[in-house]
């Protein structure tokens, strides 16, 4: 498998050379990634603090009396028995925690896929949007018509105003991978850029090589 990214540079810049690169997969929205980092960081800090406190209490720096003390001793049990509100509060807190966990799981399903692209935003002539599925379907059909291609899957991700075209192409080994890459960028990707009126539309191309056969990648 080899992955390349083609980002057309402005005329004033030097041309960008394409080649195999370790690119991060784009599957989740940026907000989801940030939420994961915050939640996991807070959970990690909380568990670390609890573990450090338990180890410190067991090691004896607070005295042998505290290190030999059970986790739930008589004062704690008496406090729970004398507080009728304790278990309802625990139940409410558990329900809130369960809802937060459910929200976190649902958030994982969010992706940065783009459903449509704005083509025209002229108040006098109206608004025109292009269905992303129509564009990606046309790209897939064109690439699957190339000799040496078994399957092609395309998608748009990122922001509506700054999308990224992602293309995964499975090869059968009958054609040179380097030549196919050049043809995909020069034809299918170029046609997609022309269709959306974005000559600077970046494209992320992933070539899936066959397990056996020719593997000449340029």
């Amino acid at each position: 498998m080899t992955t390349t990214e083609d980002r057309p540079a402005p005329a004033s810049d030097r041309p960008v050379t394409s080649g195999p690169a370790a690119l991060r997969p784009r599957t989740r929205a940026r907000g989801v990634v940030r939420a994961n980092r915050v939640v996991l960081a807070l959970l990690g800090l909380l568990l670390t603090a609890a573990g450090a406190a338990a180890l410190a209490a067991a090691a004896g720096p607070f005295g042998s009396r505290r290190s030999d003390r059970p986790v739930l001793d008589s004062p704690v049990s008496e406090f729970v028995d004398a507080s009728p509100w304790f278990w309802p509060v625990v139940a409410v807190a558990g329900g809130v925690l369960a809802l937060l966990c459910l929200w976190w799981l649902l958030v994982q399903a969010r992706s940065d896929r783009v459903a449509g692209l704005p083509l025209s935003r002229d108040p006098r002539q109206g608004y025109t949007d292009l269905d992303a599925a129509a564009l990606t379907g046309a790209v897939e059909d064109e690439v699957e018509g190339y000799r040496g291609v078994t399957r092609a899957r395309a998608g748009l991700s990122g922001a509506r105003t700054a999308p990224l075209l992602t293309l995964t192409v499975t090869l059968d080994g009958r054609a040179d991978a380097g030549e196919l890459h050049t043809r995909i960028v020069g034809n299918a990707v170029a046609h997609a850029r022309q269709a959306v009126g974005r000559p600077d539309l970046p494209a992320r191309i992933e070539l899936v090589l066959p397990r056996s056969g020719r593997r000449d990648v340029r």
Side-chain angles (χ1 to χ4, degrees):
M1 178 185 295
T2 181
T3 307
T4 63
E5 188 164 1
D6 184 78
R7 291 180 177 272
S12 58
D13 296 341
R14 289 182 298 179
V16 177
T17 57
S18 301
L23 302 177
R24 296 180 180 178
R26 299 170 182 263
T27 55
R28 291 195 178 101
R30 295 180 179 178
V32 175
V33 175
R34 287 193 297 266
N36 287 343
R37 290 176 179 174
V38 172
V39 171
L40 294 178
L42 292 177
L43 182 60
L45 291 175
L46 179 62
L47 294 178
T48 301
L55 289 175
F62 302 110
S64 59
R65 182 179 179 182
R66 183 174 294 275
S67 61
D68 297 333
R69 185 177 178 181
V71 177
L72 298 177
D73 52 7
S74 297
V76 176
S77 301
E78 293 174 359
F79 171 77
V80 173
D81 294 338
S83 306
W85 51 266
F86 180 80
W87 291 115
V89 171
V90 171
V92 172
V96 172
L97 181 60
L99 291 176
L100 289 176
C101 292
L102 179 60
W103 167 80
W104 188 43
L105 290 175
L106 293 177
V107 165
Q108 305 308 309
R110 296 180 183 176
S111 68
D112 60 351
R113 292 288 183 181
V114 176
L117 295 177
L119 297 183
S120 175
R121 284 294 181 269
D122 190 346
R124 295 174 298 179
Q125 298 182 0
Y127 300 92
T128 303
D129 290 339
L130 173 64
D131 186 10
L135 176 65
T136 56
V139 173
E140 292 172 356
D141 291 341
E142 179 175 354
V143 175
E144 288 180 349
Y146 297 164
R147 179 180 179 274
V149 175
T150 302
R151 183 180 181 184
R153 288 294 177 265
L156 287 174
S157 60
R160 283 167 52 89
T161 56
L164 169 71
L165 176 63
T166 303
L167 184 60
T168 302
V169 183
T170 303
L171 311 183
D172 59 12
R174 294 185 303 163
D176 180 77
E179 294 177 356
L180 274 175
H181 174 268
T182 302
R183 186 177 182 185
I184 291 171
V185 174
N187 292 277
V189 175
H191 295 160
R193 289 168 176 162
Q194 183 179 8
V196 299
R198 296 174 181 268
D200 58 345
L201 176 69
R204 182 179 185 271
I205 304 172
E206 183 177 276
L207 301 180
V208 182
L209 305 179
R211 293 185 177 181
S212 61
R214 187 177 181 181
R215 296 192 177 188
D216 182 15
V217 181
R218 298 178 184 177

